[in-house]
Amino acid sequence: MSRLELITPEGLRIDGRRANELRRITAKTSVFSQSDGSAYIEQGNTKCLAAVYGPREARYRQQMLSDRALLNVEFNIAPFSFSERKKRSKNDKRSLEMASFIRQTFEPVILTSQFPRSQIDIYLQIFQHDGGVLQSCINAATMALIDAGIPMTDYVCACSAGSIDKVPVLDLNNLEESSDAPELTVAILPRSGKVNLVEMESRLHIDSLQGVMELATQGCMQVHKVLNGVIKENTQYLMDRLNA
């Protein structure tokens, strides 16, 4: 499908959204009883599960840090998550790169200095891939860390934006990503507005950068409203159970 067909003359995208619309987000916490914290998120048809373990004793003594906790991130995509089955190891180049992006995003936000000589593990699994994988993983990890009671300075909320025929579009799906449209993923701290991650693998004209960046930032704030609503609802549920 050519890029010209991704936006209709009426301004609608292939899935019926306007250029500045997010895909529908569904999120839950405490979905995995064996972990210290967990979360499940659906962003459109992209489905991600995050599990957090720790703080706990470091797995290898030589990796132990005397002044803070070691943050370990593992990322994996299920072979059945694509329309065509692709077998991927968690140690392939792309998976390691994604894990590195996520670790670098959370290291400045988690108060690791409170847990010296320990380790915090974040495991991320994509069950269905329909674009926006990095942002889904970051948003799911944020909720899982909160569910685990890991102290952080703020939420970390991520969203992507791109440019199709010079029109800034929010939250690209897999079809739009596959069209070679430039895509920018941004993660921010909503309270301070600080940008914690900017990732882009394709070229974007400098004249379009500001509009795409602003749209992605607006998307992050919308994501924050959703995630914060889920956390508040879950907290209220726990409080009601304690007071029952």
Side-chain angles (χ1 to χ4, degrees), residues 3-14 18 165 167:
R3 289 175 57 185
L4 293 174
E5 296 175 274
L6 294 176
I7 298 183
T8 67
E10 294 78 22
L12 296 176
R13 293 154 71 178
I14 201 72
R18 296 283 179 185
D165 299 331
V167 177

Side-chain angles (χ1 to χ4, degrees), residues 23 46 82-83 129-132 172-179:
R23 291 175 293 176
T46 296
F82 295 89
S83 55
H129 185 308
D130 188 36
L172 278 67
N173 60 31
N174 188 49
L175 190 60
E176 291 168 334
E177 288 181 351
S178 302
S179 71

Side-chain angles (χ1 to χ4, degrees), residues 46-110:
T46 296
K47 301 176 181 180
C48 177
L49 175 67
V52 171
Y53 296 85
R56 59 187 181 181
E57 185 177 354
R59 191 178 306 169
Y60 303 108
R61 282 189 168 272
Q62 61 267 31
Q63 294 181 339
M64 192 181 293
L65 303 174
S66 60
D67 60 340
R68 65 187 187 278
L70 173 70
L71 184 62
N72 174 58
V73 178
E74 290 192 15
F75 167 83
N76 190 41
I77 297 183
F80 54 79
S81 63
F82 295 89
S83 55
E84 296 180 6
R85 283 182 176 259
K86 297 181 180 180
K87 189 173 182 180
R88 244 185 184 173
S89 164
K90 67 182 180 181
N91 292 321
D92 75 353
K93 183 179 178 181
R94 180 58 179 165
S95 295
L96 292 173
E97 188 178 58
M98 291 285 284
S100 178
F101 284 144
I102 296 163
R103 187 184 68 253
Q104 291 172 24
T105 300
F106 282 98
E107 277 179 337
V109 183
I110 298 173

Side-chain angles (χ1 to χ4, degrees), residues 101 104-106 108-109 134-135 138-139 142 146 152-160 170 184-199 212-225 227:
F101 284 144
Q104 291 172 24
T105 300
F106 282 98
V109 183
L134 179 57
Q135 67 187 50
I138 290 172
N139 295 333
T142 295
I146 293 172
M152 299 191 293
T153 58
D154 199 353
Y155 282 74
V156 184
C157 299
C159 192
S160 67
L170 184 66
L184 178 75
T185 300
V186 175
I188 69 167
L189 309 184
R191 285 192 300 177
S192 64
K194 180 182 176 182
V195 176
N196 225 32
L197 169 76
V198 177
E199 189 269 339
V212 171
M213 184 75 179
E214 289 176 355
L215 188 60
T217 303
Q218 292 168 17
C220 291
M221 299 306 293
Q222 293 178 49
V223 169
H224 174 247
K225 287 182 180 179
L227 302 191

Side-chain angles (χ1 to χ4, degrees), residues 17-31:
R17 288 182 293 151
R18 296 283 179 185
N20 61 350
E21 281 186 58
L22 275 177
R23 291 175 293 176
R24 185 172 181 269
I25 299 176
T26 304
K28 299 177 183 178
T29 57
S30 303
V31 295

